[in-house]
Amino acid sequence: MQYHQRGFVGGFGETEPVSRIMYASRSLVRGPVYAEMERIRAAAMRHNEPLHVCTALLYQSGWFLQWKEGPPAAVLKIMDRVAADARHASLRIVHSSRGPRLLAGPWSMAIVQCDETPDDMARRVAAVRHRFEEGDQFAPPAVWRQLSTPMRHPGADRQAQPDAFQRVLVCGAAGDAAFDLVKWLGRHYGQEVVHRRFAGPYELDVGTDYTDFEDHGRVMRVIAMARRGLALPLTRAFLPDYSPVVLMLSGDLQRDVALFDRVAEACRQLPAPPRLLGVGLSHDSHLRLNLAANRAGLDYAAAVVDAGGHAACWQAVDSLLAEWESVPQSAAG
Ligand SMILES: Cc1cc2nc3c(=O)[nH]c(=O)nc-3n(C[C@H](O)[C@H](O)[C@H](O)COP(=O)(O)O)c2cc1C
């Protein structure tokens, strides 16, 4: 079994690798699932946190997917309790490894709204489980992606690895700039936009949208993330897989710096942080963010174009990706 080990330095101060387990199970919940997940969150905050177990729970198309990390004995103890819960059945392990912590907080949850049936999800669970049993191990974020948000664009078939496509995270300093860009990309390339909801330990409920398309022979996923979504442990676990993280600047220095600070905080302690691209017309903002990035040890590129002009903004991302391809760098992930 082989994959890159990239995790949070420190975590709960442990020096040993933690146990990382993921399982999928069929939901038997009747009625509103989100409310049930909030009840599960309350139990998890009571039981998991004192044992240093962190978890992320997904509900999608009649299935739960749960990712747990923590000291091995504690993870087993919680798993025993959860396995006996009558709100789900047909529990199947899809990942089990020891490694660094990737979830930097006790709780994240996500709901994906799509028109898939439980059978569609069951097929993906069976395929991932089969690979796991064959010893073909993917890192937890990749397993999550394969089950929850697999790349459906036909171009993905040409890639050797099902998970090897370019992912770009977009965050706006003001308004819905990032979501507008993803909407525009979906329309421009004639592709669907998928909506998700995430939440953390304390009520936080944020939206995130993505669209998949092919651009200059590159299969891409562009993900819009709400500003406060950057603080969610699940977002932080996925950050090393995003390149670049695009900051759509507003020209208002205070807002632009506030967005940068959120991104820098999310990248803190990541051994391989993503590279940043600031898009905006304000030279002042670029100057300040460049200095702040230097201090934070982050790689910042500036594109002096109007972030509100979707075509020009996308062109800036595209040019940067082309530049990186011509000069490969290790952090490109
Ligand atoms: C899909 C799913 C995931 C769950 N995850 C956790 C968890 O991570 N931690 C936890 O304590 N309980 C979790 N639960 C709830 C437990 O099964 C159990 O109901 C709860 O821990 C009981 O807590 P109590 O005895 O304090 O009421 C989960 C339940 C389901 C259906």
Side-chain angles (χ1 to χ4, degrees), residues 23 40 43-44 46-48 55 57 64 66 68 78 81-82 85 87-88:
Y23 71 84
I40 294 172
R46 270 197 311 276
H47 298 294
N48 298 13
T55 191
L57 180 64
F64 287 117
Q66 194 168 32
K68 284 189 190 305
I78 305 267
R81 171 198 294 274
V82 171
D85 196 306
R87 287 171 286 183
H88 64 166

Side-chain angles (χ1 to χ4, degrees), residues 9 16 18 29 34 37 47 55 57 73 78 81 125 145 166 170 182 196 199 209 261 264 291 306:
V9 182
E16 298 295 310
V18 293
V29 171
Y34 198 78
M37 289 170 83
H47 298 294
T55 191
L57 180 64
I78 305 267
R81 171 198 294 274
V125 171
R145 223 169 7 243
Q166 185 94 36
V170 189
V182 165
R196 291 176 292 169
D209 292 356
D261 287 346
L291 287 171
D306 179 5

Side-chain angles (χ1 to χ4, degrees), residues 8 11-12 14 21 37 40-58 66-71 75 78 82 101-110 144 199-204 231-237:
F8 285 91
F12 286 88
E14 64 239 319
I21 286 188
M37 289 170 83
I40 294 172
R41 164 167 65 183
M45 293 301 282
R46 270 197 311 276
H47 298 294
N48 298 13
E49 213 181 359
L51 297 175
H52 295 178
V53 171
C54 295
T55 191
L57 180 64
L58 166 77
Q66 194 168 32
W67 168 3
K68 284 189 190 305
E69 294 184 351
V75 169
I78 305 267
V82 171
R101 263 185 205 278
L102 302 171
L103 294 172
W107 178 266
S108 304
M109 62 184 173
W144 184 284
Y202 312 106
E203 317 303 343
L204 215 63
L232 295 177
L234 200 55
T235 308
R236 296 174 67 169

Side-chain angles (χ1 to χ4, degrees), residues 203-264:
E203 317 303 343
L204 215 63
D205 182 10
V206 298
T208 167
D209 292 356
Y210 72 83
T211 187
D212 294 335
F213 55 91
E214 190 173 342
D215 184 55
H216 296 113
R218 232 188 262 120
V219 182
M220 316 266 311
R221 168 165 298 172
V222 179
I223 306 128
M225 174 59 71
R227 286 178 284 285
R228 56 192 189 137
L230 288 164
L232 295 177
L234 200 55
T235 308
R236 296 174 67 169
F238 280 89
L239 265 180
D241 290 354
Y242 298 136
S243 206
V245 171
V246 179
L247 287 73
M248 296 179 72
L249 306 179
S250 65
D252 173 331
L253 189 59
Q254 222 174 341
R255 283 174 187 264
D256 293 346
V257 169
L259 173 63
F260 177 86
D261 287 346
R262 283 180 192 262
V263 172

Side-chain angles (χ1 to χ4, degrees), residues 21-326:
I21 286 188
M22 294 173 87
Y23 71 84
S25 60
R26 263 189 200 268
S27 164
L28 299 178
V29 171
R30 310 247 171 272
V33 181
Y34 198 78
E36 202 61 55
M37 289 170 83
E38 285 182 323
R39 279 190 278 279
I40 294 172
R41 164 167 65 183
M45 293 301 282
R46 270 197 311 276
H47 298 294
N48 298 13
E49 213 181 359
L51 297 175
H52 295 178
V53 171
C54 295
T55 191
L57 180 64
L58 166 77
Y59 174 82
Q60 183 170 341
S61 310
W63 285 77
F64 287 117
L65 172 65
Q66 194 168 32
W67 168 3
K68 284 189 190 305
E69 294 184 351
V75 169
L76 278 183
K77 186 173 163 191
I78 305 267
M79 277 301 291
D80 280 347
R81 171 198 294 274
V82 171
D85 196 306
R87 287 171 286 183
H88 64 166
S90 315
L91 201 138
R92 294 171 178 82
I93 301 288
V94 287
H95 176 94
S96 172
S97 64
R98 297 273 169 105
R101 263 185 205 278
L102 302 171
L103 294 172
W107 178 266
S108 304
M109 62 184 173
I111 288 201
V112 175
Q113 288 139 345
C114 57
D115 48 16
E116 279 188 342
T117 66
D119 285 349
D120 293 326
M121 192 71 173
R123 272 190 285 278
R124 284 209 295 282
V125 171
V128 169
R129 174 139 170 97
H130 178 72
R131 281 204 298 272
F132 169 68
E133 283 174 342
E134 297 283 299
D136 202 0
Q137 177 96 298
F138 289 88
V143 174
W144 184 284
R145 223 169 7 243
Q146 284 162 21
L147 288 175
S148 172
T149 55
M151 170 62 81
R152 290 218 179 67
H153 191 278
D157 294 345
R158 295 198 300 274
Q159 314 257 355
Q161 289 269 338
D163 210 43
F165 50 89
Q166 185 94 36
R167 287 172 290 270
V168 174
L169 187 75
V170 189
C171 231
D176 291 331
F179 290 83
D180 292 344
L181 178 68
V182 165
K183 229 181 275 166
W184 179 82
L185 286 167
R187 269 201 316 273
H188 185 72
Y189 290 98
Q191 300 297 324
E192 178 199 8
V193 172
V194 180
H195 307 284
R196 291 176 292 169
R197 284 170 69 195
F198 283 3
Y202 312 106
E203 317 303 343
L204 215 63
D205 182 10
V206 298
T208 167
D209 292 356
Y210 72 83
T211 187
D212 294 335
F213 55 91
E214 190 173 342
D215 184 55
H216 296 113
R218 232 188 262 120
V219 182
M220 316 266 311
R221 168 165 298 172
V222 179
I223 306 128
M225 174 59 71
R227 286 178 284 285
R228 56 192 189 137
L230 288 164
L232 295 177
L234 200 55
T235 308
R236 296 174 67 169
F238 280 89
L239 265 180
D241 290 354
Y242 298 136
S243 206
V245 171
V246 179
L247 287 73
M248 296 179 72
L249 306 179
S250 65
D252 173 331
L253 189 59
Q254 222 174 341
R255 283 174 187 264
D256 293 346
V257 169
L259 173 63
F260 177 86
D261 287 346
R262 283 180 192 262
V263 172
E265 174 57 25
C267 292
R268 205 163 55 85
Q269 294 195 336
L270 284 181
R275 299 199 277 183
L276 313 181
L277 172 67
V279 181
L281 285 172
S282 161
H283 287 281
D284 272 2
S285 289
H286 284 308
L287 197 65
R288 276 286 284 276
L289 299 201
N290 217 334
L291 287 171
N294 272 337
R295 275 199 302 274
L298 296 167
D299 181 337
Y300 181 84
V304 187
V305 294
D306 179 5
H310 298 129
C313 180
W314 185 244
Q315 173 66 43
V317 177
D318 231 16
S319 309
L320 188 76
L321 291 175
E323 204 180 294
W324 286 354
E325 269 167 20
S326 60

